[in-house]
C-alpha cells in the first residue's frame, strides 16, 4: 500500500498511527496539496490527503474511511468493535467525528490567516470557527470524564482521533489553553504520546 500525505496533516497522522498500531507495511509518499506541482488530484479528485493507493490500483480516501478499512485487515490492536456491537461502535465513531470536526474548524481558521490577505479576512467568521473548536473541546472533555480512554476501558479509534487533534492544536495553535482548561484531556494526550505510534508520527 502507498499512503499519500504530508507530515503536518492531522488526518494523515491519524492514518499513520493506525497503520503503526496495526503493524501494516506501507510506503509513505509525501505531497503538499498547496504546492503547484502537487499530484494528489491524480489519485483523489477532491485534491485532499490522506489518500491510500492499494496494490490492485484502487484508491481509498477520507481518513475516516481509510482507518475503518485498515482495522479490518488484521486482528492486531482492534480499534473498532465488530459490526454487531452497534452502540459501542457508534460511540467510537462519534468521538472520531467530533475530533475531526474540531480539526475542520481550526484548519479553516489557519487557512484564513495564512492563505488570505489581512484585508480579506473575516474576524467574525474566524470567531465562529474557533467557537466550534472550544465547544468541541468541552464536549470531548465531558465525554472523557475520569475514564482512562475516550470510549471506556479500551484503547480505540476515538483515542487515536482525539490524540491527533490535540497534537495538531498544540502544534498550530499553542495559544489555545486546552491543557489548563481540560486536565483530563491533557492526561489522555500525555498517555497517548507515550505510545510508539504517536512518537513516530509527531507533526512537523
Amino acid at each position: 500500500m502507498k499512503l499519500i500525505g504530508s507530515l503536518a496533516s492531522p488526518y494523515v497522522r491519524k492514518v499513520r498511527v493506525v497503520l503503526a498500531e496495526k503493524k501494516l507495511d506501507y510506503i509513505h509518499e509525501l505531497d503538499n496539496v498547496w504546492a503547484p506541482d502537487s499530484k494528489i488530484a491524480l489519485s483523489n479528485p477532491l485534491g485532499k490527503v490522506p489518500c491510500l493507493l492499494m496494490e490492485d490500483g484502487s484508491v481509498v480516501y477520507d481518513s475516516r474511511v481509510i482507518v475503518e478499512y485498515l482495522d479490518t485487515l488484521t486482528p492486531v490492536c482492534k480499534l473498532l468493535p465488530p459490526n454487531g456491537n452497534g452502540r459501542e461502535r457508534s460511540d467510537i465513531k462519534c468521538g472520531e467525528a467530533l475530533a475531526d470536526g474540531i480539526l475542520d474548524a481550526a484548519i479553516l481558521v489557519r487557512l484564513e490567516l495564512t492563505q488570505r490577505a489581512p484585508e480579506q479576512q473575516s474576524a467574525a467568521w474566524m470567531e465562529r470557527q474557533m467557537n466550534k473548536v472550544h465547544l468541541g473541546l468541552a464536549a470531548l472533555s465531558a465525554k472523557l470524564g475520569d475514564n482512562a480512554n475516550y470510549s471506556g476501558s479500551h484503547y480505540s479509534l476515538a483515542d487515536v482521533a482525539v490524540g491527533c487533534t490535540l497534537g495538531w492544536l498544540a502544534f498550530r495553535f499553542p495559544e489555545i489553553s486546552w491543557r489548563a482548561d481540560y486536565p483530563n484531556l491533557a492526561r489522555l494526550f500525555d498517555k497517548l504520546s507515550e505510545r510508539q505510534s504517536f512518537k513516530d508520527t509527531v507533526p512537523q
Side-chain angles (χ1 to χ4, degrees), residues 67-159:
V67 294
E68 187 163 356
Y69 167 70
L70 293 175
D71 197 47
T72 69
L73 297 184
T74 168
V76 174
C77 189
K78 289 297 290 181
L79 297 170
L80 284 166
N83 284 324
N85 196 334
R87 180 59 183 272
E88 183 182 1
R89 189 180 184 88
S90 65
D91 281 349
I92 292 172
K93 292 297 288 182
C94 279
E96 181 190 13
L98 179 56
D100 282 4
I102 292 170
L103 285 174
D104 292 343
I107 287 172
L108 288 175
V109 173
R110 177 169 167 76
L111 291 176
E112 183 82 352
L113 291 170
T114 61
Q115 301 293 324
R116 293 170 68 87
E119 64 274 12
Q120 296 177 326
Q121 295 171 13
S122 169
W125 188 85
M126 287 190 286
E127 181 180 1
R128 178 179 175 84
Q129 300 307 318
M130 290 307 298
N131 189 50
K132 296 178 185 179
V133 172
H134 292 295
L135 289 174
L137 288 169
L140 288 180
S141 176
K143 177 66 168 66
L144 175 61
D146 294 326
N147 296 320
N149 298 292
Y150 184 82
S151 292
S153 60
H154 300 293
Y155 174 69
S156 73
L157 183 56
D159 295 292

Side-chain angles (χ1 to χ4, degrees), residues 41 44 124 148 185 189:
N44 181 353
L185 291 182
F189 179 72

